[in-house]
Amino acid sequence: MARDLKFTRNIGIAAHIDAGKTTTTERILYYSGMSHKIGEVHDGGATTDWMAQEQERGITITSAAVTVPWNYKGNTYQINVIDTPGHVDFTVEVNRSLRVLDGLVFLFSAVDGVEPQSETNWRLANNYNVPRLGFVNKMDRQGADFMNVVRQVKDMLGSNSLPLQLPIGAEDDFKGVVDLINFRAIVWNEEDKGMTFTEIEIPADLLEEATEMREHLLEQVAEFDDNLMEKYFEDPNSITEAEVLAALRQAVIAGKVVPMMCGSSFKNKGVQAMLDNVMALLPSPLDQEAITGTDPKTGDEISRKPSYDEPFCGLAFKIATDPFVGRLCFVRAYSGKLPAGSYIYNPRTNNKERISRIFQMHANKQNQIDELGAGDIGAVVGFKDIRTGDTLCAEGHGIILESMDFPDPVIGLA
Ligand code: GDP
């Protein structure tokens, strides 16, 4: 049965070099791959265990896209984490990766804040109207300052950054956060490497600041939603978590706000909460109304909706060699379905080719799948003539995506 696209997230992780992109990605893979055997996580083990496993099985965390499951509010989501090259220059590769993802987690170092590469990547993401979530990493480091980074995102990047949390403890003593949406405080449990947390009373010395920040958050979110605005004036306490998240999500997708969270991926703190908010606040493939391209015969603009019922179209965004399966072509599907073993038309070569197998790269295995459906990302084997940037489509339903820009800006991140 085809997956419900609303449970898919195609995300990238963008960062200035050294902000912790590799560590954070490793943690994401590790948590999702190991979540069924949490008890086996031992001290400081995540990185080394993962690396050893990687070498052993020849799977690379720098794969063009890795698929991980994530449970959130009773549903299993599929996250495709797309590698976002961190180059400062405006390479085709960076542009292409921004094109195939639907949302970004933007990492900052809590010590260094907005750095030159963050500015470049931020502006590129603006060009593609990519909704984003800010994660201020390295909160355990000396000189870490979450609110300073929140301010910098406003002042230097010109975006409406909105803190969702208030850190508890600083530097070496960073141990938890006040969640401003639920207005509860949590500290991460050290013994299971931050996989779980304990709820505590909001520390008395933070209560006033936390109350003010929650007020600010509710006021901002109410701005995006008339019904919430009414409730906000009548009784702000009657506003539920679900209502805040729903309004915030719309605002994030429309580029009106960048929610900001914090943590320390090295110390296993905050990455899980960040992933929860990837599900809650970043778009699914369904949130993009359609992808536009040109008709290879007439040059006219045509579009495809993110639906299994449309003719297939997808973009080849990376070609890689895998030690086990050979040459892989990473494809982002936008519409329709591509079954393994079927023929696919390439408008560049004007040929159709039979593809053999389709894989998804997981944290600890490669999964062969029967078909690649709209909104999903997979690695296709069997092409004889393929280049990155090629559009793949159903025969008789030609479309060329690469030469096109994304649809009209629905988003106004500026
Ligand atoms: P990348 O260049 O963005 O991929 O950054 P890395 O993940 O390689 O991290 C750069 C360095 O910072 C490494 O030495 C990491 O161990 C360290 N690091 C990453 N995250 C944290 C963190 O949350 N706290 C601390 N103290 N160090 C971190």
Side-chain angles (χ1 to χ4, degrees), residues 272-286:
Q272 297 90 334
M274 179 266 278
L275 284 174
D276 281 350
N277 274 338
V278 164
M279 308 311 124
L281 302 175
L282 289 183
S284 82
L286 287 176

Side-chain angles (χ1 to χ4, degrees), residues 16-23 137-138 140-141 264-266:
H16 182 92
I17 184 157
D18 219 40
K21 185 169 115 174
T22 312
T23 314
N137 190 33
K138 300 195 176 185
D140 60 306
R141 288 260 321 269
S264 160
S265 44
F266 187 68

